[in-house]
Amino acid sequence: MNTIASYAAIPAQSRGRHYPEPAPQYRTEFQRDRDRIIHSKAFRRLEYKTQVFVNHEGDLYRTRLTHSLEVAQIARSVARSMGLNEDLTEAIALSHDLGHTPFGHAGQDELNECMKAYGGFEHNLQSLRVVDVLEDSYADFPGINLTFETREGILKHCALKHAATLGDVGERFLNKTQPSLEAQLTNLADEIAYNNHDIEDGLRSGLITLEQLQEVPVFALEYGHVRTAYPDLSGRRLIRETLRRMIGRMVIDLIESSQAAIQLSGVQTLDEVRKQSLALMRYGDEMRTQKNVLKKFLRENLYFHPTVYRMTWRARKVVRALFETYMQDTRLLTPKYQVFAKRYEVDHGETGRALAIADFIAGMTDRYAMREYGQLFDLAGLR
Ligand code: MG
């Protein structure tokens, strides 16, 4: 039986919700957060949003939804073994990508370009906006009114100019303090998940090869072990067995290095965790170096592969065209976003209109965005 560590986040001591609510019955505050996230519209949309490969390219590639589930699974295992709060960890993991645009990073980069004159666009900030403002299921408040601790974890990074406008969850970027260990952990679990599943998806697509991966030590090492232990193993099974071991090695390194850092720091409470100048959840030096080599490999050989780049170019074109067209004529927005555009324009003028349009586009799934583009610009379809 695992005990809860003294420095874990404790639901009964939560800093609370923006709109005060009675304590839940038979659930903790963090369980309630997790449940609200799973019931949200934005969560269901993750199924049709790109991780690296556009959703329709193949049924076995990761989507934002399966990615988020893998992050949650890794993060929960680590949380449980370290006595951290598993429910909070899961809530953060399941919501960490809610603000992602269609078409993965290409969509986010283009929307950021479109929004340059209006303050820019950041997907971490947008994830927070989804849970704070854009979800509309509750009679008493906008958003889903999550606890401070879950919201703190969702806001992984953020520009200082934005942090200053965010109140409680923005403070740590200004004061250079740390979030909970559960938030730190989920951030690293995100990385473990995508570094490994992107290799698998990359190999499946044929864009990267096993030969190329031999230059990545963390992969080559486990691959060598598997080949020695199972000389006859080949194909998918060989790859899966290698990746399974890689995830295991990264997770064990993370647990052991973090536990050592926590012990060395002497922290006893969450408040002390927050006051640290560095994150206590971390890899050992050797694994950090190895992980960076892997990330660099994926960036150079997969994320910027010519085939992915062509998809990226098309995605950017769709996002740009939709943004510019809605800016010219907000009557092309759905009725709900027409109302938002009008409302935000009252306070912020053209910037308000741009904000409503960014909210609309960021919420789109890949296929919704492509359908919308087709309806607005594919004039041949009018025959
Ligand atoms: Mg992620």
Side-chain angles (χ1 to χ4, degrees):
M1 182 66 201
N2 282 297
T3 47
I4 293 293
S6 63
Y7 38 73
I10 300 166
Q13 291 171 15
S14 166
R15 291 194 193 174
R17 301 170 191 275
H18 185 72
Y19 300 91
E21 295 182 61
Q25 275 184 299
Y26 309 117
R27 292 184 290 182
T28 68
E29 297 286 0
F30 300 146
Q31 279 179 281
R32 174 149 78 178
D33 279 3
R34 191 256 334 268
D35 299 351
R36 286 182 177 185
I37 290 157
I38 289 180
H39 288 293
S40 71
K41 275 187 296 191
F43 185 72
R44 292 195 295 280
R45 287 191 185 122
L46 294 175
E47 183 175 3
Y48 298 105
K49 290 195 179 204
T50 292
Q51 185 66 26
V52 174
F53 296 90
V54 177
N55 183 268
H56 63 261
E57 290 181 299
D59 290 350
L60 288 175
Y61 294 119
R62 268 67 177 191
T63 65
R64 288 259 166 226
L65 181 63
T66 62
H67 161 71
S68 299
L69 295 173
E70 288 184 36
V71 175
Q73 182 267 322
I74 291 170
R76 280 179 45 213
S77 304
V78 177
R80 191 182 297 192
S81 80
M82 292 182 63
L84 299 177
N85 193 295
E86 200 176 323
D87 297 321
L88 174 60
T89 305
E90 188 178 14
I92 297 170
L94 294 178
S95 54
H96 83 284
D97 273 350
L98 289 181
H100 257 290
T101 60
F103 312 121
H105 280 278
Q108 126 96 24
D109 291 346
E110 191 61 30
L111 194 52
N112 187 30
E113 284 290 318
C114 293
M115 289 293 289
K116 266 262 140 68
Y118 312 107
F121 176 88
E122 291 183 53
H123 67 84
N124 288 305
L125 218 53
Q126 192 67 16
S127 296
L128 198 61
R129 226 175 126 64
V130 167
V131 299
D132 283 354
V133 183
L134 295 174
E135 281 292 319
D136 52 0
S137 306
Y138 290 83
D140 290 328
F141 42 76
I144 52 178
N145 200 34
L146 300 180
T147 61
F148 168 83
E149 290 75 12
T150 302
R151 296 173 62 245
E152 168 190 61
I154 291 174
L155 194 64
K156 195 162 61 175
H157 304 290
C158 141
L160 286 183
K161 64 172 179 185
H162 290 139
T165 67
L166 292 175
D168 53 5
V169 284
E171 279 168 20
R172 78 178 153 97
F173 299 97
L174 305 170
N175 306 339
K176 306 243 181 295
T177 54
Q178 304 302 318
S180 69
L181 293 170
E182 288 82 356
Q184 297 178 27
L185 156 60
T186 309
N187 192 359
L188 294 172
D190 184 20
E191 211 178 55
I192 294 177
Y194 69 67
N195 278 333
N196 287 286
H197 67 48
D198 287 354
I199 294 181
E200 190 184 359
D201 286 356
L203 287 169
R204 178 180 298 282
S205 68
L207 299 184
I208 56 174
T209 63
L210 278 171
E211 291 68 46
Q212 280 177 303
L213 274 163
Q214 300 312 313
E215 62 184 77
V216 180
V218 68
F219 182 89
L221 180 75
E222 296 301 338
Y223 184 73
H225 288 160
V226 178
R227 291 294 300 266
T228 310
Y230 305 95
D232 296 333
L233 202 62
S234 64
R236 295 266 166 253
R237 223 164 149 183
L238 172 59
I239 295 165
R240 289 292 308 159
E241 179 63 27
T242 304
L243 291 172
R244 190 180 78 70
R245 290 171 182 229
M246 264 173 68
I247 294 175
R249 223 163 80 81
M250 290 180 183
V251 165
I252 288 169
D253 185 277
L254 173 62
I255 292 172
E256 291 177 355
S257 308
S258 304
Q259 225 128 31
I262 289 168
Q263 228 156 48
L264 195 67
S265 74
V267 294
Q268 297 293 333
T269 65
L270 175 52
D271 274 343
E272 288 168 13
V273 167
R274 294 188 197 283
K275 285 185 190 131
Q276 296 288 305
S277 55
L278 292 173
L280 292 170
M281 293 299 300
R282 58 176 75 157
Y283 299 108
D285 291 342
E286 171 64 18
M287 181 56 85
R288 188 165 42 250
T289 312
Q290 302 249 344
K291 180 231 14 167
N292 287 337
V293 174
L294 169 56
K295 278 182 103 157
K296 185 160 173 275
F297 173 87
L298 286 170
R299 198 168 47 242
E300 288 171 0
N301 296 286
L302 182 60
Y303 308 146
F304 287 116
H305 188 284
T307 305
V308 175
Y309 185 79
R310 284 178 71 84
M311 189 278 280
T312 299
W313 185 87
R314 281 165 25 118
R316 281 177 169 264
K317 197 174 143 112
V318 171
V319 168
R320 163 76 54 181
L322 292 178
F323 183 85
E324 286 176 351
T325 306
Y326 298 140
M327 279 302 276
Q328 280 159 22
D329 192 343
T330 53
R331 286 171 301 178
L332 293 168
L333 295 166
T334 58
K336 174 178 160 179
Y337 282 95
Q338 288 187 37
V339 172
F340 280 171
K342 276 209 186 84
R343 195 184 301 161
Y344 299 164
E345 264 185 276
V346 173
D347 290 332
H348 307 288
E350 194 175 273
T351 299
R353 191 192 323 156
L355 275 176
I357 290 168
D359 283 344
F360 183 41
I361 293 176
M364 292 178 182
T365 59
D366 296 354
R367 59 186 192 172
Y368 185 102
M370 286 188 287
R371 198 164 54 220
E372 180 74 349
Y373 183 89
Q375 280 182 5
L376 292 174
F377 305 111
D378 182 9
L379 302 180
L382 285 179
R383 273 195 306 265

